[in-house]
Amino acid sequence: MQEFTDIDVVLLDINMPDINGLTLLNEFTDRLPTCRVVMVSAYGDMNSIRTAMNRGAFDFVTKPINFNDLALTINKTAQHVQHLREAIHAKAVADLKARFFDNITHEFRTPLTLILSPTEKLLTDSRYDAFTRNTLTTIYQNAGQLLRLINQLLDLSKLEGGNMSVSLVQGDGITLIERLVEVLRPMATSRGIALAMEETGLTGNRLGEPWPAPTHRFDADKWEKIITNLLSNALKFTPTGGRVLLTVEQPRLADATVGRNAEPQLVLRVADTGIGIPARHLPHIFDRFYQADDSRTRAYEGTGIGLALVKELTDLLGGTISVESRTELPTGTTFTLTLPLLPATDHPTTPALVLP
């Protein structure tokens, strides 16, 4: 039977002289997964028909056979099989592309690492003059940017395949956020942009616990990717003389109607005085590889990866993200992010956050 894999539709009688149609149905279902069986049975033999449908028959007709009805049933079944085969082919092609994509991005990482490592060593050598050091710095920064983009592509691939898990640590999330802001400060300074962080209402949260304090569990790696992407994006779309402000607000309960045991959500806002996002683009900015084809934004074009990664990582953590933007004066965009904070006391053996 295996050689007949191109069979789309089989018309099978339940009551045949030499073999039970229901038994043969099992053979077709197991050996020809894309084939669909239309059962034929005597009118009123609903028990056999019900059994056949439960065992995988696609449809049925009854005797005496109405040939117009039979033709319609066979056509409908054949169309279903065609769509099924197309879906299987499309998935196979998508899987092939995904494997190629993963392999090629992994291949990119090795030479980039081999560029970054010796360049970093050269930058620590005091023998080089200012021009050489500036050239090495440019090489190092651009290679690092390429490596970050490749890592983002790999993260998206993992998310799409359901292969990314949440890895929790316990520690002071505010200190982590402050560190991330300081890492990006040289970029802001070089572009003439004021980068600031404000903390509001962090003397004690709604659960009555002190804050900041190493009393919560969170995924530091994903926090870093989310916050770094949001801040980098804000800096990219903010012109010289503008401002990017990260506000960390009072933790709040995820649902105000629930009791003290509800998870608190840390609220962050990233606001810039950049060019703004046109209203027609706002519904799509978290779509993968989406780029606004607009004369105002073309000079700031990116890859369309960062915000998609932010959204999918936020969803994975159980948080939320939204955006508001103005293209009229005063222009600017604000992303509002909530991230869950889990009590460290529930799992005291969770590893501690380690900062460089």
Side-chain angles (χ1 to χ4, degrees):
M1 187 180 291
Q2 294 287 6
E3 63 268 26
F4 301 112
T5 55
D6 58 342
I7 296 176
D8 289 347
V9 182
V10 172
L11 196 63
L12 186 60
D13 198 323
I14 289 179
N15 300 305
M16 293 182 291
D18 299 322
I19 188 170
N20 184 296
L22 294 174
T23 302
L24 192 56
L25 170 64
N26 292 335
E27 295 292 322
F28 277 104
T29 303
D30 293 339
R31 300 191 186 188
L32 300 176
T34 60
C35 175
R36 291 296 179 263
V37 176
V38 176
M39 300 301 299
V40 180
S41 180
Y43 180 79
D45 188 11
M46 294 307 299
N47 287 334
S48 295
I49 292 173
R50 186 177 296 108
T51 301
M53 300 301 290
N54 288 336
R55 291 186 183 182
F58 181 77
D59 208 337
F60 68 92
V61 293
T62 59
K63 303 173 186 175
I65 294 176
N66 181 317
F67 286 96
N68 287 332
D69 179 49
L70 177 62
L72 290 172
T73 301
I74 291 176
N75 286 336
K76 179 184 71 174
T77 308
Q79 289 178 6
H80 169 81
V81 172
Q82 181 182 355
H83 294 156
L84 177 64
R85 291 182 187 276
E86 290 173 352
I88 292 172
H89 177 72
K91 185 179 185 306
V93 171
D95 289 343
L96 181 64
K97 288 181 178 179
R99 286 194 298 272
F100 173 79
F101 180 77
D102 286 347
N103 291 337
I104 199 69
T105 47
H106 277 290
E107 289 296 323
F108 280 139
R109 293 181 70 178
T110 300
L112 282 171
T113 302
L114 294 177
I115 293 172
L116 284 166
S117 182
T119 305
E120 186 176 18
K121 290 180 181 179
L122 290 172
L123 281 169
T124 62
D125 195 326
S126 59
R127 293 177 299 170
Y128 297 107
D129 57 24
F131 175 80
T132 303
R133 293 182 64 81
N134 287 336
T135 302
L136 290 171
T137 299
T138 300
I139 294 171
Y140 186 79
Q141 289 176 341
N142 283 281
Q145 176 64 10
L146 281 174
L147 186 59
R148 282 190 291 275
L149 289 173
I150 288 169
N151 288 334
Q152 288 181 354
L153 287 170
L154 288 171
D155 284 340
L156 284 175
S157 181
K158 289 179 182 178
L159 285 163
E160 187 172 31
N163 297 321
M164 182 174 287
S165 58
V166 176
S167 181
L168 300 176
V169 296
Q170 58 176 319
D172 182 359
I174 301 300
T175 299
L176 171 65
I177 296 171
E178 290 172 343
R179 189 70 57 89
L180 298 177
V181 172
E182 291 307 311
V183 168
L184 289 172
R185 194 172 298 285
M187 179 193 298
T189 301
S190 67
R191 298 183 180 185
I193 300 170
L195 175 61
M197 175 177 171
E198 292 182 357
E199 303 169 15
T200 63
L202 296 177
T203 56
N205 63 31
R206 288 185 54 184
L207 302 185
E209 299 168 351
W211 183 270
T215 54
H216 292 93
R217 292 180 298 131
F218 57 95
D219 191 321
D221 176 65
K222 294 177 183 57
W223 276 36
E224 178 179 352
K225 291 172 179 174
I226 292 169
I227 296 169
T228 299
N229 264 297
L230 288 176
L231 288 174
S232 298
N233 195 68
L235 291 170
K236 179 169 65 175
F237 285 93
T238 300
T240 299
R243 187 185 189 210
V244 174
L245 174 65
L246 170 63
T247 305
V248 185
E249 299 184 2
Q250 169 80 41
R252 67 187 182 198
L253 295 182
D255 184 351
T257 64
V258 297
R260 284 179 56 84
N261 292 329
E263 293 178 4
Q265 301 272 337
L266 188 64
V267 183
L268 299 97
R269 300 185 193 279
V270 177
D272 63 56
T273 58
I275 61 174
I277 304 169
R280 66 181 181 278
H281 296 307
L282 286 176
H284 307 289
I285 62 167
F286 296 117
D287 295 347
R288 292 187 181 191
F289 309 113
Y290 180 81
Q291 292 175 283
D293 186 13
D294 189 288
S295 59
R296 285 168 48 83
T297 62
R298 198 167 290 125
Y300 303 90
E301 277 183 336
T303 59
I305 297 171
L307 289 180
L309 182 63
V310 165
K311 179 65 166 65
E312 295 188 35
L313 289 177
T314 301
D315 290 344
L316 180 67
L317 295 179
T320 63
I321 186 167
S322 59
V323 60
E324 298 176 344
S325 190
R326 285 179 54 88
T327 56
E328 305 83 12
L329 293 175
T331 61
T333 301
T334 300
F335 287 90
T336 300
L337 176 72
T338 67
L339 294 169
L341 296 165
L342 305 175
T345 53
D346 291 350
H347 294 272
T349 59
T350 301
L353 170 65
V354 177
L355 294 174

